[in-house]
């Protein structure tokens, strides 16, 4: 049997995947765990965070591997991962994705950026940063982000058997979707081959931050209104949903817009911002100002609904959403 | 499911094999090996997967359990009761509120002595809706008369499910048995699990058939009366029989578990005692947390502290003597209850253990009671250390400083106390005057005026962005379009479902106006209470100072699932004709719990409980015609609508408001897309709905004061398309366009055509 490169005091090698629902981290975690337990003969446990969060919301998958002689008793989330797999680099905007890593942990990020840039973005003091452009590979190969990430994760988990995994991918797809086998394997291989990593030593005198318990809420029994009532409804406007987008977004061209509001009817996320202005004849009329990208999840329903080419679908580039965002003008309380 | 790892040497006499699966998978796996006759079920997280896995295995021909999707948990318990009275083996799985919804049936099942097995995948029962794990549902089971087996991990879920049926059917017992495991912690975590390699060995252990000699309702030569009317003085004797059977169940269990240990090498003594032989301090916990605490015990032992832990494998009958025995010599024990018994000065386990100590003459052991881990709050090893510190402290001091408290609750930062973010919507913004609905004095008909949607973008949306729905979700575009047609203030009630969950994740809410949630079997009744209180308080002048300019429009929002489980209260509210609107968003399934079939799911469609495989081709029966059911209650206005024909829906919203403010109850149904579970592209949501309308699957019409009017006739517009053109673009239905499903497609087409023709006939005649 293969040997785990390192283990914690209870005998576990621990992996945490950080993702948004829909990118397939849950499935990737399952496959990774099964590869370790079924393929390589480790003992293990795997699970995902479950809630009523839907596709597009932050999710985590947790995997623990150990020797067959180790009792698995812990059902709590992985707080001190040896490997973190981050399926969407912008997750770090809202989630402390590297919480609890050790000095020698490996952090894999789905990104087209360099390890140095990402190190700053993630506020990482030390450790190894591995990068793979899983979204780019998936778009190229017309396959899924999780396959590319899985390939890269296998590269980092050299105690697992990548060939065995490819056999499972082939077997699970070939009956129902035979045409999907080759793209999936290519995506996996590219993830495996294209991952680049760089290690960063911990600066002298610095210490890796310890994980803090995530389960201490902002409100508590003293401050929480009685009965679970929400006394400031509408406060979901404070949320940033831009990480829900999985690579594509609508672009708005004012010149081509006929202000028909078909987009406004189609949009599930209320992203279109309107203003009353005089029309050519001086009568008050509603005009579309743009998109509040803070809430846009990139479903592209508006692009299909648009009768002109005022809304088109484009690959999201860094910073476009922030630069072109037209914020809603809510009537805020003082 | 069930990945076979390897055949391993069994620790017992039977051949076994290893799988890597979760607790829910193992409950289903055991059930399929037992090959129960019937499972009546209704989806609720986290137990739903049990039925899903069984359905998937059924589609692959791995068992022949008759799986019956009930109309709610109450119905599922009824199905199970009837099926067990009919003499076969019966299985169910549920959680939380679902368990409470069937609660009244539980003592009937045990009191009339029909064995069955039910898995309770434990989850919080709560007001603000919590879907994660604690034992508050389990504690309601304590007084139902069912023996209760406890499962600390997926292996135990498998083993206890096999033991449970044998225990239930034992001639000395004849009681239904509950198998309890922890929601998510056990139900959704995968582990290596050892199973019987062969079903024949399972049957050799539990019996291929239930033991004979017990009366059932299908034996024409031995007619029986089940469930008579029985008052005093007889009833107490029935209870005495039952209580004796319950205590015998403890002994019978002890025998069965020893037989099981011989076969499998895995033993589940009534108490799981860990390093208790010489323990001076102990912690008592149940299920998943009772495993975590063992690591803590090991760590404390290394420090020289004589620590031990106790966990029960059975809590009904309660192992009173064994617990008293285990605690003899223990200086202090901390008991963690994962549910409160509000006002009881300790959770149920605390008080039962205290009674055990008292009964067996132990006044020396100090008892510390803590409520912990509510609603799925994790129990980490450091929490276990805290529990031991409490016990060590009491042992040293000789008294317990704080006998009962919560652990893990937090006070909150005063600076982060909630403050209003948005100003309340301004009435004048909502009352645009752009939409009018008035009675025409001469024709008696309602005259409606609606502007193009462009003008209505001026009206503020009633929902705030920032909700957590999936990309491309059809709910909110559909709801907002409807709300655009409503003028003035609304009070909304959402039944449990996606729309509720994604708009109110605490401490956030996307509802700018007042909103209420109630469980989805009861929303219509709840809103009718709100409506009548409104009119009564208004009549008494109590609302005069509250800035209300015009009467509220009361709107209940429900999914198609809510119109299944909540059909009774919806019809009740309709018959009482309260002034309110019921708006159903129909996405053809229980999407919030993971895409199970609803009665509105059409024939042949794939869901997680109507799988497609060699032995099953999706859903087995036709979709429910909810609009026609509601029309049969003779309410003033019924309509169907769609985001793809916006002006039509706006006009219907305006009419709905008129009727709900002036005459009585309105029911409307909008079809909406669920790209996640329809397995369709997010961006084509509107196109898919338009196709459903133009295929005449979802005709747009209204029934106004009993008169049917088709408002958008695809035939007249030359837009009608074959059903297959709609089905081919959804992953859930693509199979139906293949030749091997031609028969199902034909049946679906015939049903759609029959309903369409009938609707046209109704459109032609005001008397139909």
């Amino acid at each position: 049997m293969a040997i785990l490169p390192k283990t914690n005091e209870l005998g576990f090698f621990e992996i945490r995947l950080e993702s948004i629902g829909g990118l397939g981290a849950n499935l990737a975690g399952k496959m990774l765990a099964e590869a370790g337990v079924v393929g390589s003969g480790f003992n293990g446990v795997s699970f995902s965070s479950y809630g009523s969060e839907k596709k597009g919301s932050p999710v985590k998958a947790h995997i623990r591997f150990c020797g067959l002689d180790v009792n698995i008793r812990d059902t709590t989330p992985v707080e001190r991962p040896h490997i973190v797999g981050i399926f969407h680099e912008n997750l770090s905007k809202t989630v402390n994705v590297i919480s609890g890593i050790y000095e020698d942990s490996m952090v894999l990020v789905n990104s087209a950026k360099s390890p140095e840039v990402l190190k700053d973005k993630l506020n990482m003091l030390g450790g190894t940063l591995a990068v793979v452009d899983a979204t780019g590979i998936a778009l190229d190969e017309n396959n899924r982000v999780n396959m590319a990430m899985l390939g890269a994760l296998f590269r980092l988990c050299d105690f697992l058997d990548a060939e065995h995994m490819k056999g499972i991918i082939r077997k699970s797809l070939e009956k129902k979707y035979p045409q999907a086998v080759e793209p999936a394997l290519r995506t996996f291989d590219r993830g495996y081959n294209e991952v680049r990593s760089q290690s960063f030593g911990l600066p002298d005198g610095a210490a890796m931050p310890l994980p803090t318990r995530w389960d201490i809420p902002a409100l508590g029994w003293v401050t929480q209104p009685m009965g679970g009532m929400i006394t400031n409804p509408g406060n979901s406007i404070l949320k940033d949903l831009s990480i829900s987008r999985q690579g594509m977004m609508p672009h708005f061209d004012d010149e081509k817009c006929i202000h028909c509001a078909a987009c406004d009817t189609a949009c599930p996320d209320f992203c279109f911002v309107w203003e009353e202005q005089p029309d050519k004849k001086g009568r008050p009329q509603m005009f579309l100002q743009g998109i509040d990208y803070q809430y846009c999840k990139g479903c592209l329903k508006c692009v299909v609904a648009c009768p002109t080419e005022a809304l088109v679908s484009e690959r999201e580039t860094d910073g476009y959403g922030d630069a072109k965002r037209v914020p809603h003008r809510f009537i805020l309380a003082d | 499911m069930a990945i076979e790892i390897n055949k391993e040497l069994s620790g017992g006499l039977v051949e076994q094999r290893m799988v890597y699966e979760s607790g829910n998978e193992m409950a289903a796996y055991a059930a399929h090996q037992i090959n129960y006759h019937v499972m009546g079920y209704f989806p609720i997280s986290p137990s739903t997967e049990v039925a899903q896995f069984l359905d998937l295995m059924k589609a692959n021909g791995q068992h022949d359990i008759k799986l019956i999707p009930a109309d709610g948990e109450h119905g599922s318990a009824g199905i199970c009761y009837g099926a067990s009275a009919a003499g076969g083996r019966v299985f169910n799985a549920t959680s939380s509120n679902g368990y409470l919804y069937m609660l009244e049936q539980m003592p009937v099942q045990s009191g009339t002595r029909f064995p069955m097995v039910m898995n309770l995948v434990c989850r919080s029962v709560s007001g603000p809706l919590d879907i994660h794990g604690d034992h508050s549902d389990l504690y309601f089971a304590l007084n139902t008369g069912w023996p209760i087996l406890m499962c600390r991990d997926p292996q135990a879920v498998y083993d206890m499910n096999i033991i449970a049926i044998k225990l239930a059917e034992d001639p000395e017992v004849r009681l239904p048995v509950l198998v309890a495991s922890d929601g998510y912690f056990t139900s959704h975590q995968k582990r290596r699990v050892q199973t019987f390699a062969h079903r024949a060995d399972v049957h050799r252990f539990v019996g291929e058939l239930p033991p004979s000699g017990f009366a059932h309702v299908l034996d024409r030569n031995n007619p029986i009366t089940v469930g008579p009317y029985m008052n005093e003085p007889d009833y107490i004797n029935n209870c005495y029989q039952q209580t004796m059977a319950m205590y015998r169940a403890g002994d019978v269990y002890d025998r069965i578990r020893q037989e099981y240990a011989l076969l499998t090498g895995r033993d589940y003594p009534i108490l799981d005692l860990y390093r208790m032989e010489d323990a001076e301090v102990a912690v008592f916990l149940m299920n998943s947390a009772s495993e975590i605490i063992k690591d803590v015990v090991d760590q404390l032992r290394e420090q020289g502290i004589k620590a031990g832990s106790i966990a029960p494998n059975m809590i009904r009958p309660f192992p009173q003597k064994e617990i008293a025995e285990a605690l003899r010599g223990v200086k202090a024990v901390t008991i963690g209850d994962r549910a409160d018994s509000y006002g009881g000065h300790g959770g149920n386990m605390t008080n039962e253990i205290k009674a055990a100590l008292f009964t067996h003459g132990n006044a020396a052991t100090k008892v510390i009671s803590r409520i912990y881990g509510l609603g799925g709050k994790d129990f980490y090893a450091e929490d276990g250390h805290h529990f031991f510190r409490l016990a060590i402290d009491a042992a040293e001091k000789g008294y317990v400083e704080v006998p009962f408290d919560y652990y893990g609750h937090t006070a909150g930062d005063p600076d982060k106390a909630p403050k209003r973010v948005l100003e309340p919507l301004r009435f004048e913004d909502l009352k645009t005057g752009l939409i009018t609905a008035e009675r025409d004095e001469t024709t008696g008909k309602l005259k409606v005026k609606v502007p193009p949607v462009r003008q209505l973008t001026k009206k503020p949306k009633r929902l705030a962005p920032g909700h957590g729905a999936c990309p491309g979700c059809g709910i909110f575009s559909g709801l907002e379009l409807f709300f655009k047609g409503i003028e003035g203030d609304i009070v909304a009630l959402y039944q449990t479902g996606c729309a509720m969950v994604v708009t109110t994740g605490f401490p956030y809410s996307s509802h700018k106006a007042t909103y209420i949630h109630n469980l989805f079997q009861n929303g219509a009744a709840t809103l009718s209470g709100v409506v009548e209180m409104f009119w009564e308080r208004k009549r008494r002048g109590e609302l005069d100072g509250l800035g209300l300019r015009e009467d509220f429009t009361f709107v209940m929002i429900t999914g198609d699932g809510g119109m299944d489980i909540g059909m009774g209260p919806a019809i009740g509210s309709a018959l009482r004709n309260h002034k309110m609107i019921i708006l159903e968003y129909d996405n053809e399934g229980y999407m919030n719990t993971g895409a199970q079939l609803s009665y509105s799911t059409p024939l042949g469609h794939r869901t997680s409980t109507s799988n497609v495989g060699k032995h099953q081709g999706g859903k087995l029966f036709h979709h429910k015609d909810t609009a026609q059911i509601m029309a049969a209650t003779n309410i003033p206005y019924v309509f169907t609508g769609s985001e793809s024909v916006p002006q039509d829906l706006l006009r219907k919203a305006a009419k709905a408001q008129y009727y709900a403010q002036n005459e009585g109850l309105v029911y409307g149904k909008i079809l909406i897309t669920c790209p996640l579970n329809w397995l369709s592209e997010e961006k084509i949501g509107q196109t898919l709905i338009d196709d459903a309308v133009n295929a005449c699957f979802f005709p747009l019409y209204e029934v106004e004061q009993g008169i049917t009017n088709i408002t958008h006739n695809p035939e007249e517009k030359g837009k009608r398309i074959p059903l297959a053109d709609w089905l081919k673009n959804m992953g859930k239905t693509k199979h139906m366009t293949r030749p091997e499903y031609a028969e199902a497609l034909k049946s679906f087409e015939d049903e759609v055509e029959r309903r369409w023709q009938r609707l046209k006939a109704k459109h032609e005649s005001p008397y139909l």
Side-chain angles (χ1 to χ4, degrees):
Chain A
M1 195 177 88
I3 290 174
L4 294 167
K6 50 196 161 193
T7 54
N8 65 16
E9 65 282 2
L10 289 174
F12 294 102
F13 183 87
E14 306 200 327
I15 302 169
R16 188 174 70 222
L17 305 182
E18 300 272 358
S19 184
I20 58 169
L23 286 178
N26 183 11
L27 184 65
K30 259 187 200 164
M31 294 176 92
L32 194 65
E34 278 166 15
V37 175
V38 185
S40 300
F42 294 110
N43 198 0
V45 53
S46 53
F47 54 99
S48 301
S49 58
Y50 282 91
S52 290
E53 296 80 16
K54 305 293 172 188
K55 195 175 169 185
S57 306
V59 291
K60 294 175 201 284
H62 309 272
I63 300 157
R64 292 190 167 94
F65 290 129
C66 58
L68 285 177
D69 54 331
V70 175
N71 285 313
I72 303 180
R73 292 160 170 164
D74 197 351
T75 49
T76 60
V78 168
E79 301 291 355
R80 307 233 49 195
H82 297 101
I83 291 182
V84 182
I86 301 164
F87 282 55
H88 194 308
E89 66 174 84
N90 287 340
L91 264 171
S92 63
K93 281 210 268 190
T94 50
V95 181
N96 182 10
V97 284
I98 57 165
S99 170
I101 58 168
Y102 301 101
E103 202 180 328
D104 59 351
S105 292
M106 284 187 284
V107 177
L108 170 71
V109 190
N110 169 16
S111 173
K113 298 197 175 78
S114 72
E116 285 94 345
V117 174
L118 287 169
K119 177 179 177 277
D120 288 344
K121 189 168 177 181
L122 298 180
N123 262 331
M124 194 166 142
L125 281 181
T128 300
L129 237 164
V131 184
V132 67
D133 182 12
T135 305
I137 296 174
L139 286 173
D140 278 359
E141 301 292 343
N142 195 16
N143 203 262
R144 306 210 46 207
V145 167
N146 62 352
M147 275 298 130
M149 284 297 283
L150 198 59
L153 283 163
F154 264 80
R155 181 71 173 276
L156 304 185
C157 298
D158 51 10
F159 52 93
L160 298 179
D161 182 354
E163 289 308 309
H164 177 84
M165 187 72 251
K166 284 160 73 176
I168 288 178
I169 294 171
R170 178 181 294 283
K171 228 167 98 182
S172 62
L173 291 174
E174 69 190 350
K175 262 199 198 146
K176 269 193 182 161
Y177 315 99
Q179 72 287 2
V181 173
E182 286 314 313
L185 291 178
R186 261 203 315 277
T187 309
F188 180 90
D189 276 339
R190 284 191 58 188
Y192 188 91
N193 292 322
E194 292 176 23
V195 60
R196 295 284 169 268
S197 59
Q198 190 175 341
S199 293
F200 301 95
L202 193 60
D204 286 341
M208 295 298 285
L210 289 171
T212 49
R213 276 189 78 145
W214 65 273
D215 57 353
I216 311 295
L219 299 182
W221 61 274
V222 173
T223 58
Q224 194 168 300
M226 187 165 59
M229 204 177 275
I230 296 172
T231 51
N232 52 355
N235 59 351
S236 67
I237 60 163
L238 302 174
K239 290 189 145 186
D240 184 343
L241 300 177
S242 53
I243 58 159
S244 299
R245 294 192 293 267
Q246 301 190 3
M248 304 302 287
M249 71 193 308
H251 280 196
F252 173 57
D253 182 351
D254 189 25
E255 302 284 302
K256 292 179 180 159
C257 182
I258 58 169
H259 308 281
C260 67
C263 52
D264 195 75
T265 300
C267 179
D269 295 294
F270 318 135
C271 300
F272 291 93
V273 181
W274 296 80
E275 196 175 70
E276 191 171 59
Q277 293 170 359
D279 66 8
K280 281 177 196 155
K281 294 179 184 156
R283 292 173 308 197
Q285 184 53 280
M286 300 306 290
F287 289 88
L288 180 59
Q289 303 300 298
I291 300 171
D292 193 336
Y293 285 111
Q294 179 176 339
Y295 310 112
C296 172
K297 297 171 185 156
C299 73
L300 306 176
K301 267 181 85 186
C302 57
V303 174
V304 173
C306 181
T308 71
E309 283 168 351
L311 289 163
V312 290
S313 123
E314 296 286 347
R315 174 90 197 267
E316 180 160 8
T317 50
D318 222 28
Y320 184 93
D322 290 338
K324 299 282 181 171
R325 174 182 175 219
V326 176
H328 274 298
R329 277 153 288 192
F330 297 111
I331 304 173
L332 299 175
D334 301 326
Chain B
M1 62 163 287
I3 298 161
E4 190 176 337
I5 295 179
N6 48 20
K7 297 208 161 86
E8 299 208 357
L9 273 185
S10 170
L13 299 172
V14 294
E15 186 183 333
Q16 301 195 55
R17 66 174 180 185
M18 193 71 86
V19 294
Y20 182 64
E21 300 295 2
S22 67
N24 279 345
E25 283 165 315
M26 292 325 297
Y29 195 77
H32 112 281
Q33 284 188 316
I34 293 164
N35 206 22
Y36 281 95
H37 291 84
V38 166
M39 177 186 194
Y41 70 93
F42 189 77
I44 182 164
S45 302
S47 60
T48 318
E49 285 185 341
V50 179
Q52 289 173 209
F53 292 130
L54 281 168
D55 187 77
L56 191 61
M57 285 190 272
K58 175 131 193 189
N60 296 329
Q62 290 169 269
H63 64 80
D64 23 59
I65 304 170
K66 175 84 182 165
L67 300 169
I68 307 174
D71 54 337
E73 286 86 358
H74 195 256
S76 83
I79 291 167
C80 290
Y81 182 59
S84 60
R89 282 184 168 150
V90 178
F91 183 68
N92 197 357
T94 193
S95 299
S96 182
N97 300 73
Y99 181 65
L100 262 64
Y101 191 36
M102 62 168 80
L103 195 61
E104 71 152 5
Q105 195 68 57
M106 300 297 100
V108 176
Q109 182 95 36
S110 59
T112 54
R113 308 294 298 278
F114 288 108
M116 66 169 281
V117 171
M118 182 159 75
N119 278 255
L120 182 67
V121 183
C122 297
R123 165 186 145 184
S124 180
V125 174
S126 60
L129 191 77
D130 187 314
I131 68 156
H132 286 162
D134 67 29
H135 293 154
S136 48
D137 51 1
L138 176 64
Y139 282 5
F140 277 94
L142 293 171
N143 294 334
T144 57
W146 293 43
I148 302 172
L149 305 181
M150 304 293 287
C151 312
R152 64 185 95 117
D153 58 19
Q155 178 71 64
V157 173
Y158 175 77
D159 294 328
M160 288 301 196
N161 265 287
I162 307 246
I163 290 173
I165 183 69
K166 194 171 167 73
L167 175 64
E169 290 175 348
D170 190 280
E172 295 286 301
V173 179
R174 304 295 297 169
L175 286 169
V177 171
L178 198 70
V179 178
S181 60
D182 284 1
Y184 299 104
F185 301 118
T186 304
S187 66
H188 284 63
Q189 294 203 3
K190 280 182 182 260
R191 298 287 187 86
R192 290 167 73 96
V193 178
Q194 234 181 3
T195 70
F196 284 75
H198 307 292
R199 176 180 278 167
D201 286 329
V202 175
H203 280 170
R204 248 190 296 283
F205 180 68
V206 303
E208 200 164 338
L209 289 169
S212 58
F214 295 95
H216 60 84
V217 300
L218 300 181
D219 183 354
R220 63 124 9 250
N221 289 333
N222 291 296
I224 53 169
T225 295
V226 173
Y229 174 60
M230 180 200 273
N231 286 334
E232 82 291 358
D234 304 287
Y235 175 68
I236 194 170
N237 295 320
N238 193 63
C239 298
Y240 189 68
Q241 284 181 346
Q242 199 183 330
T243 199
M244 287 198 301
M246 174 63 96
Y247 287 116
R248 285 197 299 267
D251 299 331
V252 172
Y253 170 82
D254 205 45
R255 191 191 76 224
I256 294 176
R257 65 98 181 167
Q258 291 180 48
E259 292 169 27
Y260 192 80
L262 267 180
L263 282 179
T264 64
R266 292 184 298 281
D267 193 10
Y268 296 91
I270 287 178
L271 285 186
D272 179 24
L273 300 176
Y274 189 71
R275 306 185 85 164
M276 283 299 293
E277 314 77 40
D278 60 342
E280 292 177 351
V281 284
V283 168
F284 175 99
L285 294 168
M286 295 204 295
N287 278 4
S288 57
S290 77
E291 283 292 288
I292 297 169
I293 201 75
K294 290 176 182 172
D295 283 338
V296 178
V297 168
D298 290 345
Q299 287 157 8
L300 292 173
R301 286 270 173 178
E302 273 174 32
Q303 298 167 25
I305 294 164
K306 288 187 176 169
S309 71
I310 309 175
N313 282 317
M314 188 178 211
I315 55 169
R316 278 295 177 270
F318 190 68
Q320 194 183 59
K321 189 160 149 264
E322 292 85 348
I323 287 180
E325 194 75 26
L327 288 175
R328 190 188 309 165
V330 170
K331 289 180 182 158
V333 58
T334 302
I335 298 159
D337 274 288
R338 209 163 197 158
D340 198 356
S341 169
Y342 299 104
H345 303 281
N348 290 116
M349 286 304 114
T350 295
N351 289 335
E352 298 204 3
I353 291 169
K354 282 183 175 174
L357 294 173
F358 180 86
T359 305
H360 292 272
N362 178 347
T365 304
K366 305 292 168 215
V367 178
I368 305 109
S369 172
R370 289 294 180 269
I371 307 292
Y372 79 101
L374 300 189
K377 185 159 173 134
D378 276 301
F379 183 77
Y380 288 89
E382 70 177 67
D383 304 321
H385 280 286
H386 175 83
F387 279 13
F388 271 110
R389 267 198 306 280
L390 292 171
I392 293 164
D393 183 59
E396 282 170 358
K397 288 184 178 148
Y399 68 94
V400 182
E401 201 150 321
V402 184
F404 170 65
D405 200 355
Y406 270 48
Y407 171 73
H409 53 303
T410 50
D413 177 352
D415 293 338
K416 291 180 183 158
K419 292 186 192 77
R420 228 171 238 297
V421 175
L422 290 179
E423 281 294 316
L425 292 167
R426 290 187 300 221
F427 180 76
E428 41 297 0
D429 292 344
L430 296 168
K431 182 80 179 179
T432 60
L434 293 168
I435 295 164
T436 54
E438 288 159 355
R439 272 259 176 254
D440 186 317
E441 296 291 325
T442 48
T443 62
K445 295 230 162 162
L446 208 55
K447 256 179 39 195
V448 177
K449 231 177 58 199
V450 295
V453 283
R454 178 181 184 181
Q455 271 175 278
L456 288 171
T457 58
K458 190 177 176 188
K459 202 167 173 172
K461 296 197 164 54
R462 295 180 194 266
L463 287 153
H467 63 73
C470 303
C473 174
I475 297 174
F476 296 100
S477 42
L479 291 186
E480 267 302 338
L481 182 61
F482 177 79
F483 287 146
K484 273 181 188 164
I486 304 277
E487 293 270 281
D489 291 320
I490 63 166
V491 170
L493 181 142
Y494 284 48
Q495 299 209 97
T496 318
C498 283
M500 166 263 166
V501 160
V502 302
T503 53
T504 61
F506 194 81
Y508 294 100
S509 165
S510 304
H511 299 277
K512 294 183 196 162
T514 292
Y515 155 102
I516 314 160
H517 161 254
N518 198 8
L519 302 172
F520 62 176
Q521 51 281 41
N522 229 353
T526 308
L527 192 62
S528 65
V530 175
V531 169
E532 296 312 319
M533 185 57 87
F534 168 74
W535 290 106
E536 187 54 24
R537 289 189 68 194
K538 185 181 165 181
R539 193 182 67 79
R540 297 186 190 194
E542 294 173 18
L543 304 180
D544 294 347
L546 300 180
L548 189 66
R549 303 261 290 271
E550 282 182 13
D551 294 341
F552 286 111
T553 300
F554 294 92
V555 187
M556 179 185 114
I557 305 295
T558 175
D560 47 313
M563 286 305 280
D564 282 350
I565 193 171
M567 196 75 222
I571 288 177
S573 301
L575 295 172
R576 297 191 300 268
N577 204 27
H578 302 281
K579 289 181 177 170
M580 60 188 253
I581 300 169
I582 296 178
L583 181 67
E584 172 188 344
Y585 60 87
D586 177 4
N587 50 18
E588 303 183 336
Y590 303 158
M591 303 324 192
N592 187 40
T593 43
Q596 296 82 22
L597 72 83
S598 79
Y599 293 161
S600 294
T601 307
L603 184 92
H605 287 221
R606 179 203 297 267
T607 68
S608 62
T609 50
S610 63
N611 283 284
V612 177
K614 266 204 186 101
H615 299 261
Q616 179 177 296
K619 190 178 171 230
L620 300 170
F621 54 98
H622 284 295
H623 57 290
K624 175 175 172 180
D625 198 339
T626 317
Q628 288 294 315
I629 295 173
M630 293 306 287
T633 63
N634 296 306
I635 48 178
Y637 191 56
V638 171
F639 70 90
T640 62
S642 142
E643 175 191 325
S644 66
V645 191
Q647 296 304 118
D648 179 68
L649 182 54
L650 286 173
R651 292 174 59 82
K652 287 167 175 168
K655 280 190 180 182
Q657 178 169 33
Y658 176 87
Y659 283 109
Q661 286 195 316
N662 295 291
E663 300 201 3
L665 197 131
V666 171
Y667 167 81
K669 180 183 183 98
I670 55 174
L671 185 72
I672 59 111
T673 33
C674 175
L676 180 71
N677 295 315
W678 287 13
L679 308 170
S680 59
E681 270 189 285
E682 287 156 9
K683 64 182 176 194
I684 61 163
Q686 252 181 17
T687 319
L688 282 177
I689 295 300
D690 208 32
D691 288 349
V693 168
N694 290 331
C696 292
F697 165 75
F698 195 78
L700 301 182
Y701 68 98
E702 60 191 2
V703 184
E704 188 173 356
Q705 295 183 308
I707 295 173
T708 300
N709 176 30
I710 296 174
T711 57
H712 174 95
N713 187 329
E715 285 173 346
E716 285 171 5
K717 293 177 190 292
K719 285 183 164 179
R720 183 152 188 194
I721 57 168
L723 261 184
D725 285 3
W726 170 49
L727 301 177
K728 69 182 181 196
N729 291 319
M730 298 180 287
K732 68 163 179 167
T733 48
K734 215 184 265 174
H735 64 278
M736 292 181 77
T737 59
R738 294 207 307 263
E740 59 267 42
Y741 294 99
E743 203 182 321
L745 179 61
K746 174 80 172 45
S747 170
F748 185 31
E749 283 170 342
D750 288 350
E751 182 65 14
V752 166
E753 187 59 20
R754 192 181 67 76
R755 292 187 194 183
W756 170 241
Q757 291 301 338
R758 190 179 56 189
L759 193 68
K760 284 202 291 188
K762 287 186 173 184
H763 176 82
E764 294 303 322
S765 166
Y767 298 107
L768 290 179

